[in-house]
Amino acid sequence: MAENRRLFPYTPSSSPSQPPHAPAPVAQVRLEPPRRGGGAWARVAWIVLGLAAWWVGRFLLGVLGVETTIVTGFVALVPLALCFLALRYIDRWDPEPWRLVAVAVLWGAAPSVLIALFAGGLFEGAATTAWGELAIAPVTEEIAKGLGLLLLAVLARRHLHGAVDGVVYGGLIGAGFAFTENILYFSAALSQGGDAFGATVFGRGVLSPFAHVLFTAMTGAAVGWATERVKGFGGLFAAWLVGLVPAMACHYAWNALASGVTPLSFEAGYLFTQVPLFLGAVIVALLLVVRERRLTVSALKDYEAAGWYTPQEVATLSSPRARRETSRWAGSRGAKAQWRHVVRTADALAVVRQRQRMNPGQASIDQDQATLLHTSLTAREALRSAVGHGPGGWTTTQG
């Protein structure tokens, strides 16, 4: 392959030119060393997740037995894998860190299940009608799953920025929850014998593998949308509450349809409500991905005009293909982590730039921008050093 230009580390002049509507000049700021692993909060989170997973596993083994748990667990892995692959496809522009992907799935599979079971037990018998009983699961389960999203938005804010990230994390939590729930449903059907097991696997694993994914992704989209526009916890919490409404409503409608209390037959309801809802969600998710890319490109163009990025850098970071090729190239030189830092910083800058456009003159946003711009320089410097190039710009050759 012919010579292929990649990143050219660049130090801006002390007073870069400022075209109309370009990012404001930034002052030197005190830079903190990069945090790895999240410190004490990360350790607490992993301990909580580990304990919850141990308790859920112990519960399943004790109630269902070892053999049944293993068999149904393997079957439940199929819809989980399908959901996971779909969400990673949506997330291919700016892939989330694997540790947070694991956190999201584990939250759905363990803590949210425990919270939903406990809350559901509190309200058991409180409803006086069939419609009221149907409301308990949507309310308790969506709140339980949504709490994981809220925690991620607060404790891992630098990784959850934008509606696409919210959709992905919400979907992963929903997939984890569905995995544990499927084990319970599959086990109950297996004990009934006859065609019950096959019918249950078909209904939950083929007809509706994305149900919980879709519900929690609605909450995630609202939370992710808020991260682009607000800084404090109050705005995030308000968006979380708003996102819970469609999640609960769709969950309730699905339960009502599956329970047979609606005038529609299951087949008609599925065809005329669930299928259009799913297709609409897919279209919205893809449109959000396109929007995320456009925002990133637009922001980087602003920073290019102000002298913080070169045209070659912007071209590389604006193209999905170039990102993948550069990731492979950096990985072959042991610098994939440094490349990921470059990408994450550029994407975070795009979110801050969007917030700056919507809230001009806000000092806290300008400070965030200043920190990220200087971090972007150190990230590109680290990448250059990792691949063994000296200062002054470099190219990569793939042949």
Side-chain angles (χ1 to χ4, degrees):
M1 184 174 178
E3 184 181 56
N4 190 5
R5 292 180 180 274
R6 285 292 175 265
L7 295 176
F8 293 76
Y10 174 80
T11 303
S13 61
S14 58
S15 301
S17 60
Q18 297 295 321
H21 309 297
V26 298
Q28 293 292 328
V29 295
R30 180 175 177 270
L31 298 178
E32 299 291 340
R35 293 175 296 175
R36 298 188 180 274
W41 281 113
R43 288 191 287 273
V44 171
W46 282 113
I47 291 173
V48 170
L49 289 170
L51 289 173
W54 171 82
W55 197 96
V56 169
R58 186 171 175 229
F59 168 78
L60 293 175
L61 291 170
V63 173
L64 306 177
V66 176
E67 183 177 348
T68 299
T69 301
I70 292 176
V71 170
T72 55
F74 271 111
V75 177
L77 281 175
V78 176
L80 174 64
L82 180 62
C83 294
F84 179 81
L85 292 174
L87 290 166
R88 291 300 284 182
Y89 178 80
I90 292 173
D91 194 38
R92 67 192 185 282
W93 170 251
D94 178 24
E96 303 308 314
W98 282 105
R99 67 181 184 279
L100 291 183
V101 169
V103 166
V105 175
L106 282 173
W107 178 273
S112 64
V113 173
L114 296 179
I115 295 171
L117 286 173
F118 176 76
L122 291 178
F123 292 102
E124 187 176 2
T128 58
T129 65
W131 290 97
E133 291 179 359
L134 286 174
I136 294 176
V139 172
T140 57
E141 292 177 6
E142 294 310 320
I143 290 176
K145 292 183 291 179
L147 284 173
L149 271 169
L150 194 59
L151 288 172
L152 281 171
V154 172
L155 301 179
R157 179 70 174 265
R158 63 196 179 106
H159 292 291
L160 202 168
H161 45 68
V164 174
D165 287 352
V167 167
V168 169
Y169 283 120
L172 289 169
I173 291 173
F177 187 92
F179 170 74
T180 302
E181 192 176 63
N182 281 340
I183 292 176
L184 293 170
Y185 276 95
F186 293 166
S187 298
L190 192 63
S191 66
Q192 294 175 19
D195 298 331
F197 181 71
T200 303
V201 171
F202 180 76
R204 297 187 62 86
V206 178
L207 291 181
S208 61
F210 296 101
H212 277 290
V213 172
L214 176 60
F215 305 149
T216 319
M218 293 177 178
T219 308
V223 173
W225 177 88
T227 61
E228 294 182 336
R229 291 160 174 79
V230 301
K231 189 174 180 67
F233 176 76
L236 284 176
F237 185 72
W240 179 73
L241 290 176
V242 171
L244 284 175
V245 174
M248 291 177 180
C250 289
H251 194 159
Y252 183 82
W254 172 254
N255 282 6
L257 181 65
S259 300
V261 299
T262 66
L264 290 175
S265 66
F266 176 80
E267 293 78 7
Y270 182 83
L271 182 62
F272 293 111
T273 62
Q274 298 303 312
V275 171
L277 179 63
F278 172 73
L279 294 177
V282 170
I283 292 172
V284 170
L286 294 177
L287 289 176
L288 287 174
V289 172
V290 172
R291 174 182 175 273
E292 182 183 48
R293 292 180 185 175
R294 288 177 177 171
L295 285 177
T296 301
V297 173
S298 175
L300 291 178
K301 288 289 186 182
D302 284 350
Y303 293 122
E304 176 192 336
W308 287 94
Y309 280 85
T310 68
Q312 293 89 349
E313 290 172 336
V314 172
T316 298
L317 291 165
S318 299
S319 165
R321 180 179 178 182
R323 283 190 176 203
R324 291 192 297 270
E325 291 179 355
T326 306
S327 179
R328 288 193 292 269
W329 176 85
S332 69
R333 288 159 174 77
K336 194 165 187 176
Q338 288 82 357
W339 163 246
R340 290 295 309 139
H341 192 201
V342 169
V343 172
R344 295 295 305 184
T345 304
D347 291 337
L349 268 171
V351 174
V352 169
R353 179 63 179 139
Q354 177 68 6
R355 289 172 54 209
Q356 190 181 57
R357 288 167 175 163
M358 301 183 68
N359 304 277
Q362 193 170 116
S364 61
I365 299 177
D366 292 342
Q367 176 66 17
D368 290 343
Q369 176 190 243
T371 302
L372 282 170
L373 283 171
H374 286 286
T375 301
S376 75
L377 294 178
T378 60
R380 285 171 279 168
E381 173 68 25
L383 176 60
R384 182 178 66 229
S385 299
V387 297
H389 287 275
W394 51 273
T395 61
T396 68
T397 301
Q398 297 177 349

